[in-house]
mmCIF file of all heavy atoms in Angstrom:
data_model
loop_
_atom_site.group_PDB
_atom_site.id
_atom_site.type_symbol
_atom_site.label_atom_id
_atom_site.label_comp_id
_atom_site.label_asym_id
_atom_site.label_seq_id
_atom_site.Cartn_x
_atom_site.Cartn_y
_atom_site.Cartn_z
ATOM 1 N N ASP Z 57 25.229 65.820 -35.344
ATOM 2 C CA ASP Z 57 26.225 64.770 -35.147
ATOM 3 C C ASP Z 57 27.632 65.291 -35.124
ATOM 4 O O ASP Z 57 28.611 64.503 -35.313
ATOM 5 C CB ASP Z 57 26.038 63.636 -36.176
ATOM 6 C CG ASP Z 57 26.166 64.124 -37.591
ATOM 7 O OD1 ASP Z 57 26.481 65.299 -37.825
ATOM 8 O OD2 ASP Z 57 25.926 63.276 -38.484
ATOM 9 N N THR Z 58 27.773 66.561 -34.871
ATOM 10 C CA THR Z 58 29.141 67.192 -34.725
ATOM 11 C C THR Z 58 29.185 67.920 -33.406
ATOM 12 O O THR Z 58 28.205 68.384 -32.902
ATOM 13 C CB THR Z 58 29.425 68.168 -35.877
ATOM 14 O OG1 THR Z 58 28.401 69.132 -35.935
ATOM 15 C CG2 THR Z 58 29.498 67.467 -37.221
ATOM 16 N N PRO Z 59 30.361 68.005 -32.779
ATOM 17 C CA PRO Z 59 30.496 68.659 -31.487
ATOM 18 C C PRO Z 59 30.400 70.178 -31.546
ATOM 19 O O PRO Z 59 30.475 70.753 -32.647
ATOM 20 C CB PRO Z 59 31.902 68.237 -31.012
ATOM 21 C CG PRO Z 59 32.658 67.893 -32.247
ATOM 22 C CD PRO Z 59 31.663 67.425 -33.269
ATOM 23 N N LEU Z 60 30.210 70.803 -30.433
ATOM 24 C CA LEU Z 60 30.275 72.271 -30.333
ATOM 25 C C LEU Z 60 31.519 72.585 -29.499
ATOM 26 O O LEU Z 60 31.463 72.513 -28.240
ATOM 27 C CB LEU Z 60 28.996 72.800 -29.643
ATOM 28 C CG LEU Z 60 28.998 74.327 -29.455
ATOM 29 C CD1 LEU Z 60 28.896 75.033 -30.850
ATOM 30 C CD2 LEU Z 60 27.831 74.754 -28.570
ATOM 31 N N GLY Z 61 32.591 72.847 -30.149
ATOM 32 C CA GLY Z 61 33.853 73.013 -29.474
ATOM 33 C C GLY Z 61 34.224 71.766 -28.746
ATOM 34 O O GLY Z 61 34.258 70.681 -29.330
ATOM 35 N N LYS Z 62 34.462 71.840 -27.417
ATOM 36 C CA LYS Z 62 34.829 70.654 -26.644
ATOM 37 C C LYS Z 62 33.603 69.954 -26.102
ATOM 38 O O LYS Z 62 33.711 68.908 -25.462
ATOM 39 C CB LYS Z 62 35.764 71.044 -25.500
ATOM 40 C CG LYS Z 62 37.125 71.504 -25.981
ATOM 41 C CD LYS Z 62 38.035 71.823 -24.833
ATOM 42 C CE LYS Z 62 39.435 72.219 -25.336
ATOM 43 N NZ LYS Z 62 40.335 72.554 -24.262
ATOM 44 N N SER Z 63 32.432 70.527 -26.300
ATOM 45 C CA SER Z 63 31.191 69.936 -25.816
ATOM 46 C C SER Z 63 30.720 68.862 -26.804
ATOM 47 O O SER Z 63 30.450 69.199 -28.023
ATOM 48 C CB SER Z 63 30.111 70.997 -25.640
ATOM 49 O OG SER Z 63 30.512 71.953 -24.759
ATOM 50 N N ARG Z 64 30.616 67.666 -26.387
ATOM 51 C CA ARG Z 64 30.165 66.579 -27.233
ATOM 52 C C ARG Z 64 29.434 65.545 -26.366
ATOM 53 O O ARG Z 64 29.603 65.503 -25.139
ATOM 54 C CB ARG Z 64 31.306 65.962 -28.001
ATOM 55 C CG ARG Z 64 32.578 65.751 -27.233
ATOM 56 C CD ARG Z 64 33.747 65.295 -28.056
ATOM 57 N NE ARG Z 64 33.618 63.868 -28.337
ATOM 58 C CZ ARG Z 64 34.118 63.308 -29.421
ATOM 59 N NH1 ARG Z 64 34.820 64.032 -30.292
ATOM 60 N NH2 ARG Z 64 33.989 62.025 -29.639
ATOM 61 N N CYS Z 65 28.654 64.712 -26.993
ATOM 62 C CA CYS Z 65 27.784 63.767 -26.298
ATOM 63 C C CYS Z 65 28.561 62.899 -25.333
ATOM 64 O O CYS Z 65 28.100 62.648 -24.199
ATOM 65 C CB CYS Z 65 26.989 62.910 -27.250
ATOM 66 S SG CYS Z 65 25.710 63.862 -28.158
ATOM 67 N N ASP Z 66 29.718 62.363 -25.718
ATOM 68 C CA ASP Z 66 30.407 61.456 -24.838
ATOM 69 C C ASP Z 66 31.041 62.106 -23.629
ATOM 70 O O ASP Z 66 31.591 61.409 -22.783
ATOM 71 C CB ASP Z 66 31.396 60.556 -25.582
ATOM 72 C CG ASP Z 66 32.494 61.322 -26.297
ATOM 73 O OD1 ASP Z 66 32.525 62.563 -26.222
ATOM 74 O OD2 ASP Z 66 33.307 60.654 -26.976
ATOM 75 N N ASN Z 67 30.950 63.404 -23.475
ATOM 76 C CA ASN Z 67 31.320 64.047 -22.197
ATOM 77 C C ASN Z 67 30.160 64.819 -21.603
ATOM 78 O O ASN Z 67 30.319 65.649 -20.732
ATOM 79 C CB ASN Z 67 32.619 64.896 -22.277
ATOM 80 C CG ASN Z 67 32.462 66.086 -23.201
ATOM 81 O OD1 ASN Z 67 31.390 66.601 -23.400
ATOM 82 N ND2 ASN Z 67 33.571 66.484 -23.831
ATOM 83 N N CYS Z 68 28.929 64.392 -21.990
ATOM 84 C CA CYS Z 68 27.676 64.937 -21.452
ATOM 85 C C CYS Z 68 27.171 63.976 -20.400
ATOM 86 O O CYS Z 68 27.293 62.748 -20.512
ATOM 87 C CB CYS Z 68 26.661 65.093 -22.561
ATOM 88 S SG CYS Z 68 24.998 65.508 -21.991
#
Side-chain angles (χ1 to χ4, degrees):
D57 59 5
T58 56
L60 178 68
K62 291 183 178 180
S63 300
R64 41 186 284 152
C65 291
D66 61 1
N67 64 28
C68 171

